[in-house]
Each structure stands twice: as structure tokens, then as C-alpha cells.
Amino acid sequence: MKLRFLGGAREVGRSAILVNDRLLLDFGMLTGNPPQFPVETPEPEAVVVSHGHLDHAGAVPSLLSGDRRPPIHWTPPTRELALTLARDTLKLHGVPGSGATGGSRRQRRRGGTYDCPFTEEEVRRVTEVSETHGYRETFEAAGHEVTFYNAGHIPGSAHVLVREGRSPAGSRAQPGDDDGDTRLFYTADFHTEDQRLVSASTARPDADVVVCESTYSDVEHEPRRRIEERFVESLRTTVWEGGTVVVPAFAIGRTQEMLLVCAAHDIDCYVDGMGKQVTKMLRRHPAFVRDGEALRRAKSNARFVTGRDGQRRRIADQNTVIVTTSGMLSGGPAMTYVPAIRANPTNKVALTGYQVEGTPGRDLLETGSAELDGRVMPVSAQVEWYDFSAHADRRGLRSLLDSYRDATVLVNHGDRCAAFADDLAEDGFRTLAPAVGETVSITGTTLEREG
């Protein structure tokens, strides 16, 4: 089996792995100024997308330029989430017909400009070639047999098992074999503990090669129950003292998790930004969330903001909780709410996810000021950060990999992939951390690398 890492190796973002020059796993983008995309745009026979986050699905429509029409395989929520993100990307670039106010195909972001990675026509083509599948449903893609398993990251997120060849079901290649029947287990992003929104990853299918994420390979998360207790107490205290809490949250997954937390603890809240649309969409896919009835109650508990007639500024003056995009303060309604509450020390900004270096959210945590809507602003309101991560930590990663001690482990999607691979090697694993642009060929227990 041959794997070419076009992105996501030794970095977090733009995940893309080409299998046997035929099957593409993910095709994402790395947000930044400017954003980065996979180092090549291949012409695969088929595409499999693990889940609907920008770093895994953000560049998928660009695979459909010209005469290329590879089928795209994903779960139903991932399809809808990827299309939502693609249309939002078009809107940000002012592409005509996408609902934007301008006609420019360039987006200005923190002093820079970049081209839109795809066209409205290419987004439309996604709907024509899309093929959806449920968990544990095996299908054919580019001459490979593929099966999705719940990854416990966000609704619809999937581990991807890829089998080349046509051996009987349940068989497994043995070390040293070269029979064209290698099984690849692509973990993508996963979590091994339950969240309120989705259940933990538990599937561990047989595999000969594992491509494993390593986002939090040097971190042990605080127990989710304790994080939630501190978060809820902080919200209640601020509102009781007469303040307003802005909760920046990623639209996909994190917004819904925050709404579930608020509903479970009887905290009234508003919800704004793309998270509103995603919340409504996920209600249509109850099979891909942990508790569909709880999500219904959480949606009913939250008041959806329209943004009309100065509504946001009026809400910012209330003693309330506002869950809104963007999670890293790089855009969205947060650009109204945070400036509106920033001057009052009783108010609070409660960040709920990882803040990438160079983003306004990271700047706010480190310096107490941030560039918001084009202006650098000091923030006197309290700023807190809560580790509501949807990724496995070091213990979770090792618990999964303990099921694959006889497999070859390729470490990706992290800031310290090589260090984690070294840690695994010291513990007896056969492992390496490929670099972006590198090709790894696996034959039995033999690895060959091409730069």
C-alpha cells in the first residue's frame, strides 16, 4: 500500500492522504493568513471525507474543477456540514450568487488577500457526485473496500477503514505478506470519552496500518465533568453580578455542546452565527448524535438571534449568555458582541476551544487585546479558557493504539508528530511521522519513504 501525505503531516490542518494513487482521504485547508491548502491537487478516482471540519473538508469542491468528477463518500451529516462550510467560504469571498454583498473573489483577512479555492459551480457539482453512508456500512471506492466507524469527534465524524484487494471478510494480512490485501485504519479526528453531543469512539477493527492523529499527544485533559462544573459556575456568577458572557464557539460541534451544557444546567442563553444553521441541521440526523431528545431540548432552551434592527447590541447589554461564532474570534457575530462588552470588567469572554497561534482568540488570551473587526482593541472584560476538546488526549490516543501493537503506525495531525512517534517507538511500536509531500510504501513490515 502506498500513502502520499499531501497535507496534515506534522501540522494541524489541510489533511489530505492519497492512497495507492487512486483514493483520496480528506482534502482540507489550514486556516491562517493566508490559508494553506494541500501541496498537490490530485485527480483521484474517489474521495472519502472523514468529517465536516474545514481542516478535513474545506477544499473538497476544488477537486471537481474542469472535467474531474470523482464520487465523494461521507456520512449524511458530513455532507451537509461540508456544503455549509463551502457556501460560507463563497460568501466570505463575495462570490456572486452566494448571498454575499460584493462580487470580489478575493478575501481580505488581517492585512492579506487570497483567492477563493473553488467556484460556486464546483460547490454545486459536489451535490451531484455525493454518496452517503452510515456507520459500519461497507462500500466500494476506487477499487478499495471502505467502512465508516463512529469517531466520537463531532456528529457524522468517522474512522475510515480501507481494505485493498478482495480477501474474504474478516481475514487479515500477516507480517511479511505482499498479497495486496492491506487494511488501513485512518483514525481522522477522534475522542475516546463521551461528550454530551456524541458518544465516544469504541470501534477497533483489524488493521495492518494505522494513520493516527496526535493533536493532544502531550496533554491529559481534565475530566470533562470538572471542566463543565467550573464553566457553569463562572457563567452563573457573571450573570448574577450583572454581567454578560460571550461564549465564542466553533459552529460545528462546539456550539451544540455548549447549548446542551446550558440546557442541562438551566442556563438561559442566546445562540448566534453559523451554529444556528448547524444546530437545526443536526436535528434532522438524530442517529448521529448521542441523545436526539436532549438536543431538541437544548435548541428549545436557546433563543436564536436574527441580527436584525440592532438586536445584537441590545442583547449585549443584557445580563445573559451568548454562544456565538467564531470560536477563535476571527469573524462572525463575535465581532459585534466582544467589542460591545469589552470595556466592563464584570463582563466575560469564555473561550471554549483551542486557539491557533496568530488568531485573535490566541492574542486575547496572551495579551489582553485582539484585532476585532479590523481594529486592535484592549479588552477589560474577564477572559477565560475552557478545554472542551473533542480530541483524544495522550491517554486516549494510547488506549486506541494499544489495540494495534502489531500494526505499522503513521503519526499525523499534530504539532509534535515526530516526538510522539519516538515515544511510541520506545514502547515497541513500529512507527514513523511522515512529512508533508512524503510518500510511504508499506509491504508487510517493510517501510519505504520517498521525499
Side-chain angles (χ1 to χ4, degrees), residues 9 22 57 61 116 120 138 165 209 222 358 433 446 449:
R22 303 177 66 188
C116 188
E120 186 179 6
T138 298
V209 182
E222 183 181 359
T446 301
R449 307 172 70 173

Side-chain angles (χ1 to χ4, degrees), residues 32-35 37 93 105-109 112-117:
N33 178 38
F37 302 94
H93 287 78
R105 285 178 51 85
R106 297 179 73 81
Q107 168 72 15
R108 183 169 299 276
R109 182 73 59 85
T113 58
Y114 57 89
D115 289 320
C116 188

Side-chain angles (χ1 to χ4, degrees), residues 261-319:
V261 169
C262 287
H265 294 275
D266 295 320
I267 294 175
D268 292 333
C269 67
Y270 288 91
V271 60
D272 203 349
M274 188 194 295
K276 297 182 297 181
Q277 179 181 352
V278 173
T279 302
K280 293 175 182 177
M281 181 275 289
L282 292 178
R283 287 275 294 116
R284 300 196 296 270
H285 298 286
F288 292 90
V289 299
R290 183 180 176 190
D291 186 337
E293 178 58 24
L295 183 59
R296 183 197 66 77
R297 292 194 301 269
K299 179 178 177 294
S300 298
N301 179 69
R303 286 167 284 182
F304 280 47
V305 179
T306 65
R308 294 191 296 265
D309 302 324
Q311 183 188 21
R312 291 183 175 120
R313 294 196 178 277
R314 292 195 300 274
I315 291 170
D317 290 334
Q318 299 179 21
N319 306 136

Side-chain angles (χ1 to χ4, degrees), residues 209-212 401 404 407-411 424 429-433:
V209 182
V210 178
V211 176
C212 185
L401 291 174
Y404 297 100
T408 297
V409 178
L410 306 180
V411 179
L424 293 173
F429 284 87
R430 185 170 58 254
T431 184
L432 61 87

Side-chain angles (χ1 to χ4, degrees), residues 280-435:
K280 293 175 182 177
M281 181 275 289
L282 292 178
R283 287 275 294 116
R284 300 196 296 270
H285 298 286
F288 292 90
V289 299
R290 183 180 176 190
D291 186 337
E293 178 58 24
L295 183 59
R296 183 197 66 77
R297 292 194 301 269
K299 179 178 177 294
S300 298
N301 179 69
R303 286 167 284 182
F304 280 47
V305 179
T306 65
R308 294 191 296 265
D309 302 324
Q311 183 188 21
R312 291 183 175 120
R313 294 196 178 277
R314 292 195 300 274
I315 291 170
D317 290 334
Q318 299 179 21
N319 306 136
T320 191
V321 174
I322 307 162
V323 181
T324 185
T325 49
S326 78
M328 298 185 193
L329 301 181
S330 55
M335 295 301 96
T336 297
Y337 293 118
V338 176
I341 71 154
R342 69 184 178 90
N344 187 345
T346 305
N347 295 333
K348 185 172 292 178
V349 179
L351 298 163
T352 60
Y354 181 71
Q355 305 296 306
V356 173
E357 186 174 354
T359 61
R362 181 70 166 265
D363 292 343
L364 182 59
L365 277 175
E366 294 181 346
T367 70
S369 64
E371 182 178 326
L372 302 170
D373 205 19
R375 293 184 297 142
V376 176
M377 301 180 185
V379 176
S380 298
Q382 302 167 64
V383 179
E384 297 176 347
W385 177 76
Y386 295 89
D387 184 15
F388 281 103
S389 178
H391 290 266
D393 63 3
R394 181 179 182 85
R395 287 173 298 191
L397 292 168
R398 291 302 298 263
S399 71
L400 179 142
L401 291 174
D402 279 344
S403 299
Y404 297 100
R405 285 189 165 272
D406 295 331
T408 297
V409 178
L410 306 180
V411 179
N412 78 332
H413 198 288
D415 295 327
R416 57 184 304 277
C417 294
F420 186 50
D422 289 343
D423 292 345
L424 293 173
E426 290 180 4
D427 196 25
F429 284 87
R430 185 170 58 254
T431 184
L432 61 87

